[in-house]
Amino acid sequence: MKTKLKIIETKKEYEVALLRFKEVFHSPKGSALEKEAKLLALIIEDYENKHLPIPEPDPIEAIKFMMEQSQMSQ
């Protein structure tokens, strides 16, 4: 089932695009499905950047996390 590619404007369109992306993600290199996956990734990213922003981390918590990951202590 090929999806008509267009700019995502609604949450429903976003969900449909995500489902389709999962279907075509591991397509053979150079195939039409791989090209579709690449285009879907771009339009999904565009929607997410506009509608699902990631909040900036608290600087102190980020430092604590990095210290934890590096097994450092105060």
Side-chain angles (χ1 to χ4, degrees):
M1 173 181 105
K2 187 174 178 173
T3 304
K4 182 180 176 187
L5 298 177
K6 65 183 194 79
I7 299 297
I8 299 170
E9 297 177 359
T10 67
K11 186 172 181 176
K12 178 66 176 163
E13 291 174 347
Y14 172 69
E15 291 169 354
V16 169
L18 284 176
L19 289 173
R20 180 60 182 164
F21 182 72
K22 288 178 186 178
E23 292 174 4
V24 298
F25 181 71
H26 291 292
S27 299
K29 274 194 172 234
S31 69
L33 290 177
E34 182 201 30
K35 291 176 185 175
E36 181 181 351
K38 287 179 179 181
L39 287 171
L40 279 167
L42 289 172
I43 62 175
I44 288 169
E45 180 183 33
D46 178 65
Y47 179 87
E48 289 175 344
N49 288 339
K50 290 176 182 172
H51 301 281
L52 306 171
I54 299 172
E56 292 292 321
D58 176 62
I60 302 299
E61 291 303 315
I63 292 169
K64 288 179 180 178
F65 176 77
M66 293 300 291
M67 288 177 69
E68 249 179 50
Q69 295 300 306
S70 299
Q71 298 177 345
M72 299 171 81
S73 63
Q74 294 177 340

